[in-house]
Amino acid sequence: MLSEKEFLANHSRRVNSAIEAAKPILAEFQAALDRAEVFYPRHEGKGKAYVRRPEWQQVQAQCVRLQGFYRHMDTSEEDRTAILKVLLGKAGDGILVKPEVVFDFGRNIFLEDNSFLSLNVTILDWAPVYIGEGSKVGANACLYTVGHTFSPVDRLDYVLATNPIRIGKRVWIGGNVTVSGGITIGDYAIVAAGATITKDVPAGTIVGGLNKVIRELSQEELTYHYEKIMAIAEFEKRKK
């Protein structure tokens, strides 16, 4: 019977083997999607349309396998970091991605430095999803770049219409938020928990409900720095 140390070492070897097996297939990710692209004149979005093809199904199978290892309780943080470097389109420095996340691919997700995905975040990344520096995405949030078409005939053939999502820097997206494809969320914006976003969100605003702008953030709120405030408080305390 394997000791815990031996078990973990074997598991790490399986993770690394899966990473190496996935690398050449994931390297062909964009080419696989290009081969599955179709001309769909009724698709009026900013993205593309795709049909079911063995190439992208093979790529997706590798992504799903790596995500399985990523979520496994015995996968080390070191191995998780290695998975993200291969799985994602970009894994910036200092990112934090909870193991419970779900991606369609991962390769179309671009995380800038110090961004964060919380528990059960779902990203259907048929089109690119850009998440800016320092942005935080709350638990159970869903980012959907893909949908089925209006035509029931095309739905039978798995024609998928896509639109990218762009999230600016230092954005806060609350829990249970849904963001549709084709959306841009401006820098420093806050999206309240439970909101449904189907239109662009202006920078420096708080939105909630169905695209409702609650108010703009004040200059004081935008420039507030916790560590600076605490340092001033400590200085004042010492003076007394």
Side-chain angles (χ1 to χ4, degrees), residues 109-166:
I109 299 171
F110 302 85
L111 299 182
E112 297 296 339
D113 295 353
N114 301 310
S115 53
F116 168 64
L117 303 180
S118 190
L119 299 167
N120 300 316
V121 169
T122 297
I123 303 178
L124 304 187
D125 59 312
W126 279 85
V129 176
Y130 301 98
I131 298 178
E133 173 264 326
S135 289
K136 317 301 179 189
V137 181
N140 302 305
C142 297
L143 281 58
Y144 299 142
T145 70
V146 65
H148 297 282
T149 59
F150 291 159
S151 167
V153 177
D154 288 328
R155 286 200 293 274
L156 183 65
D157 292 332
Y158 283 87
V159 178
L160 304 174
T162 71
N163 281 297
I165 293 174
R166 292 182 178 273

Side-chain angles (χ1 to χ4, degrees), residues 100-115:
E100 297 81 2
V101 293
V102 177
F103 307 142
D104 244 351
F105 291 105
R107 296 292 293 173
N108 254 337
I109 299 171
F110 302 85
L111 299 182
E112 297 296 339
D113 295 353
N114 301 310
S115 53

Side-chain angles (χ1 to χ4, degrees), residues 219-237:
Q219 189 62 35
E220 181 182 6
E221 288 170 323
L222 288 170
T223 57
Y224 179 90
H225 194 297
Y226 177 78
E227 290 185 359
K228 180 179 178 181
I229 298 300
M230 293 301 293
I232 293 172
E234 182 65 23
F235 177 75
E236 294 296 332
K237 181 180 178 181

Side-chain angles (χ1 to χ4, degrees), residues 161-172:
T162 71
N163 281 297
I165 293 174
R166 292 182 178 273
I167 297 171
K169 62 184 178 182
R170 304 184 196 180
V171 170
W172 175 19

Side-chain angles (χ1 to χ4, degrees), residues 15-225:
V15 172
N16 289 321
S17 176
I19 290 172
E20 292 305 313
K23 278 181 178 179
I25 296 173
L26 298 186
E28 294 294 315
F29 169 73
Q30 196 56 57
L33 283 189
D34 289 344
R35 286 192 291 271
E37 184 182 345
V38 298
F39 175 65
Y40 187 71
R42 292 183 296 281
H43 173 45
E44 298 178 354
K46 303 172 185 175
K48 301 178 180 179
Y50 297 99
V51 295
R52 182 167 55 180
R53 288 286 186 273
E55 293 95 338
W56 68 250
Q57 289 174 302
Q58 182 185 32
V59 170
Q60 193 171 49
Q62 293 297 322
C63 293
V64 169
R65 186 183 184 206
L66 289 180
Q67 287 178 69
F69 278 115
Y70 190 82
R71 290 190 290 267
H72 198 286
M73 63 180 295
D74 292 318
T75 300
S76 68
E77 288 303 316
E78 181 180 0
D79 285 341
R80 285 198 176 104
T81 298
I83 289 172
L84 289 182
K85 293 293 184 184
V86 173
L87 183 64
L88 299 181
K90 180 176 181 178
D93 294 335
I95 64 172
L96 179 57
V97 178
K98 292 288 187 179
E100 297 81 2
V101 293
V102 177
F103 307 142
D104 244 351
F105 291 105
R107 296 292 293 173
N108 254 337
I109 299 171
F110 302 85
L111 299 182
E112 297 296 339
D113 295 353
N114 301 310
S115 53
F116 168 64
L117 303 180
S118 190
L119 299 167
N120 300 316
V121 169
T122 297
I123 303 178
L124 304 187
D125 59 312
W126 279 85
V129 176
Y130 301 98
I131 298 178
E133 173 264 326
S135 289
K136 317 301 179 189
V137 181
N140 302 305
C142 297
L143 281 58
Y144 299 142
T145 70
V146 65
H148 297 282
T149 59
F150 291 159
S151 167
V153 177
D154 288 328
R155 286 200 293 274
L156 183 65
D157 292 332
Y158 283 87
V159 178
L160 304 174
T162 71
N163 281 297
I165 293 174
R166 292 182 178 273
I167 297 171
K169 62 184 178 182
R170 304 184 196 180
V171 170
W172 175 19
I173 295 177
N176 294 293
V177 167
T178 299
V179 181
S180 299
I183 300 302
T184 295
I185 298 178
D187 295 346
Y188 315 122
I190 297 174
V191 181
T196 298
I197 304 301
T198 60
K199 296 191 300 185
D200 288 352
V201 174
T205 61
I206 302 175
V207 299
L210 181 58
N211 305 305
K212 182 180 180 182
V213 177
I214 299 171
R215 66 177 177 86
E216 294 185 1
L217 290 163
S218 69
Q219 189 62 35
E220 181 182 6
E221 288 170 323
L222 288 170
T223 57
Y224 179 90
H225 194 297

